[in-house]
Amino acid sequence: MAIEAGADALGFNFYPGSKRFVELEMERHWLEKMPDSVLRVAVVVNAPLDEALRLLDEPFIDAVQLHGDETVDFAKTLSSKSGKSVIKALRVQNVGSLEAVSDFAGFPVLLDAFAAGERGGTGHTFDWNWIREAPETGQLLLSGGLNPENVAAALRLTKLRYVDVASGVEESPRLKSAEKVRRFLAVVRNSES
């Protein structure tokens, strides 16, 4: 449904502490059928290097999104050993949080809203004006509390080209609303014009 609606990438949460956790072996039968026309991203939190490499070794995984406290050395090692894309998620609590963007120069960086005890998918936003203070080191992606009603304003204000959404298009965790997904993607596509 998301691919038909125009999604460029799909994320699969392999973090057991998440309410969106996907058990690889239980879901392999449909993950293997995902078309390679869409970027297929494994989302992990503080996964050991060998575990992250095993995920990236799967032919139906194109990239990994690091949503924990991973270091730039970890990201570099993962990238060089796998040959696949590594995205680093940073939890933005205040404008000072954006200083960490420069640590991950050369990697796409996803800016997500900080929520105590949570690792994304909370529905919280942060002050998008802060993005103006982010070091210009490469590709930034916006996440955190985006939905069909606010994504156009977020894109206009931040001037970013890429967004990530979870709770903003859900009926409940792990259950996406086809109507919300279609509306969200239509707004994003119209913002590109």
Side-chain angles (χ1 to χ4, degrees):
M1 173 271 298
I3 295 168
E4 288 175 6
D8 295 317
L10 297 177
F12 307 104
N13 197 318
F14 295 110
Y15 171 51
S18 172
K19 54 192 166 195
R20 294 176 186 87
F21 174 63
V22 174
E23 177 71 49
L24 177 62
E25 293 311 319
M26 297 288 291
E27 309 298 339
R28 177 180 293 280
H29 65 282
W30 66 268
L31 289 171
E32 289 177 329
K33 296 175 185 169
M34 298 299 303
D36 58 10
S37 59
V38 64
L39 187 72
R40 300 154 304 180
V41 182
V43 178
V44 298
V45 175
N46 297 326
L49 182 62
D50 60 338
E51 180 183 320
L53 285 169
R54 268 195 307 277
L55 283 170
L56 286 170
D57 196 42
E58 295 288 353
F60 52 85
I61 297 294
D62 305 306
V64 65
Q65 182 175 302
L66 305 175
H67 235 287
D69 304 309
E70 301 87 1
T71 65
V72 68
D73 288 336
F74 182 89
K76 286 178 180 175
T77 300
L78 192 55
S79 176
S80 67
K81 287 190 175 209
S82 71
K84 293 188 177 179
S85 297
V86 175
I87 302 160
K88 176 59 181 144
L90 295 176
R91 298 164 65 204
V92 180
Q93 185 172 16
N94 53 47
V95 72
S97 305
L98 296 170
E99 292 174 12
V101 168
S102 61
D103 295 340
F104 290 90
F107 291 97
V109 175
L110 181 137
L111 303 175
D112 197 3
F114 175 88
E118 302 264 353
R119 295 289 183 165
T122 64
H124 295 104
T125 60
F126 63 91
D127 187 337
W128 299 323
N129 289 299
W130 295 343
I131 291 177
R132 295 181 188 133
E133 305 300 318
E136 292 187 29
T137 59
Q139 182 179 330
L140 294 178
L141 300 87
L142 181 63
S143 188
L146 298 175
N147 59 54
E149 287 71 38
N150 69 8
V151 69
L155 289 167
R156 231 181 354 265
L157 182 68
T158 65
K159 307 286 191 252
L160 296 181
R161 294 184 54 218
Y162 303 99
V163 292
D164 179 280
V165 65
S167 62
V169 294
E170 287 180 330
E171 295 294 336
S172 62
R174 294 186 56 145
L175 180 60
K176 302 295 186 252
S177 160
E179 186 266 333
K180 288 180 185 178
V181 168
R182 283 192 289 273
R183 279 184 29 231
F184 184 90
L185 290 168
V187 171
V188 170
R189 295 288 183 225
N190 286 337
S191 297
E192 293 173 349
S193 306

